[in-house]
Amino acid sequence: MRTTPHGPPTPDFQPLLDEIAAALRPQAGQQGKVASYIPALARVNAAQFGIALRTCEGAEAAAGDCDTPFSIQSVSKLFSLTMCLQLIGEALWQRVGREPSGNPFNSLVQLESEHGLPRNPFINAGAIAVADRLVSQGRSAGDLAAMLSDLAGTAIEIDEEVAASEAATGFRNHALANFMKSFGKIDNDVAPVLELYFRQCALRMNCRQLARAAGYLCRDGGHPGGGATPVLTERQARRVNALMLTCGTYDMAGEFAFLIGLPCKSGVGGGIVAVVPDRLTLSVWSPALDASGNSWLGMRALEMFVARTGLSVF
Ligand code: GLN
């Protein structure tokens, strides 16, 4: 146990993460499938598993393949949303909703009946709408990489090969962007908006870096590295957590809330970031996905963590 100036002592999580990695790493790649619709991701070895956490007091624990970088894919939607809230605040909600979609992350069906307004910022259509707002503010994926480097305290880069691979094959995302443009819900040309979106999805990070970078979400928006300027206001950080809980894992959000009970954001690279508000941020990674595009083993790891610690928002 470590004693902290405020509140109860911080438990040492290292033995638990070692236990989770020992139990689950041998299963990596045995269930689920690595995303293959982005050719550069299809080559990733499925037999990998990493986990890392960082408490609000700054204590860290990590196990398994926690230092191996991977494509963060839709986990990046958390950070583009954060940057957009910093820049335009509430005005964002004129272009994107806050309701779970109950549909796959790349679905087109709701967009037509809902006149090009995406349900939430975490499905692809919503993240493309956020990317459009960022382009209007003169921002690029490079600015997101810079923001993440500051939050994680180490250089974060874009994997240009993954970005090019998705740009060449992302027909659905081209369709989504053009469809929203036809409803007047995208202000910029589709090309620069998709360029930002594909490059943000191709950011490469490891579990340790993700647990650090997302740290503002467990500390009411405060900078995870102790920087003087908050990343978000307390109200904004709480709302991002609410969106993660209801929309962060697409059509599995109900199951995640039921089984895990933590705000989570997943990506088809196999990464998932979870937040225990006021306590810690946790990141898991294993590339093989279930049918909804969430890491199969990552979800098991989060279930195990919550079962062992009792840390859930419910
Ligand atoms: N880049 C991926 C896509 O647009 C992101 C999807 C995801 O991680 N769920 O399809």
Side-chain angles (χ1 to χ4, degrees):
M1 292 279 198
R2 236 166 47 85
T3 0
T4 53
H6 311 288
T10 304
D12 177 7
F13 288 101
Q14 188 58 48
L16 175 60
L17 297 203
D18 286 336
E19 190 194 325
I20 293 174
L24 298 188
R25 204 181 189 187
Q27 298 178 41
Q30 287 177 7
Q31 293 225 38
K33 284 201 174 72
V34 172
S36 57
Y37 73 99
I38 302 173
L41 292 187
R43 295 197 292 272
V44 174
N45 172 13
Q48 302 186 82
F49 171 82
I51 184 164
L53 67 72
R54 187 165 192 269
T55 69
C56 288
E57 295 83 23
E60 297 193 355
D65 299 304
C66 55
D67 292 310
T68 307
F70 56 89
S71 191
I72 70 169
Q73 293 297 318
S74 283
V75 178
S76 68
K77 294 171 181 170
L78 190 53
F79 303 115
S80 59
L81 170 66
T82 295
M83 182 179 272
C84 203
L85 288 172
Q86 289 172 340
L87 293 167
I88 65 168
E90 296 287 299
L92 172 63
W93 307 119
Q94 291 162 14
R95 288 299 175 87
V96 64
R98 307 184 291 248
E99 291 293 343
S101 69
N103 271 306
F105 63 81
N106 57 4
S107 172
L108 281 141
V109 293
Q110 276 162 348
L111 267 186
E112 171 134 51
S113 56
E114 296 178 2
H115 311 290
L117 190 80
R119 277 279 174 111
N120 67 68
F122 292 151
I123 50 173
N124 287 11
I128 292 168
V130 170
D132 175 60
R133 303 292 75 224
L134 291 177
V135 170
S136 289
Q137 294 293 315
R139 296 307 194 277
S140 66
D143 294 317
L144 279 169
M147 179 178 99
L148 283 168
S149 303
D150 171 60
L151 293 173
T154 165
I156 304 298
E157 283 166 6
I158 295 169
D159 184 331
E160 298 295 349
E161 190 200 341
V162 172
S165 177
E166 189 171 3
T169 57
F171 304 115
R172 258 180 186 266
N173 288 321
H174 281 98
L176 287 167
N178 281 294
F179 203 41
M180 286 190 285
K181 179 96 183 158
S182 78
F183 283 106
K185 296 290 197 292
I186 295 279
D187 288 352
N188 298 283
D189 287 344
V190 163
V193 172
L194 283 177
E195 180 185 328
L196 192 156
Y197 174 74
F198 291 138
R199 293 184 77 233
Q200 76 172 65
C201 288
L203 283 157
R204 272 162 67 82
M205 295 176 78
N206 62 36
C207 287
R208 276 186 208 273
Q209 293 166 336
L210 266 179
R212 279 179 204 156
Y216 60 96
L217 294 171
C218 74
R219 57 185 73 218
D220 295 334
H223 193 288
T229 317
V231 181
L232 291 175
T233 65
E234 178 180 344
R235 189 173 149 103
Q236 286 172 328
R238 289 186 183 271
R239 289 177 158 184
V240 171
N241 276 309
L243 285 167
M244 289 170 76
L245 184 80
T246 53
C247 315
T249 49
Y250 321 112
D251 42 336
M252 281 288 268
E255 197 68 2
F256 265 75
F258 186 81
L259 293 174
I260 295 161
L262 293 175
C264 292
K265 184 71 208 85
S266 62
V268 293
I272 308 176
V273 167
V275 183
V276 183
D278 303 322
R279 294 296 297 270
L280 56 87
T281 37
L282 176 66
S283 155
V284 292
W285 169 62
S286 193
L289 310 176
D290 65 16
S292 62
N294 295 297
S295 170
W296 188 85
L297 204 58
M299 192 168 176
R300 303 287 87 72
L302 292 174
E303 278 184 76
M304 208 167 154
F305 179 83
V306 169
R308 293 283 203 285
T309 59
L311 290 173
S312 136
V313 298
F314 301 112

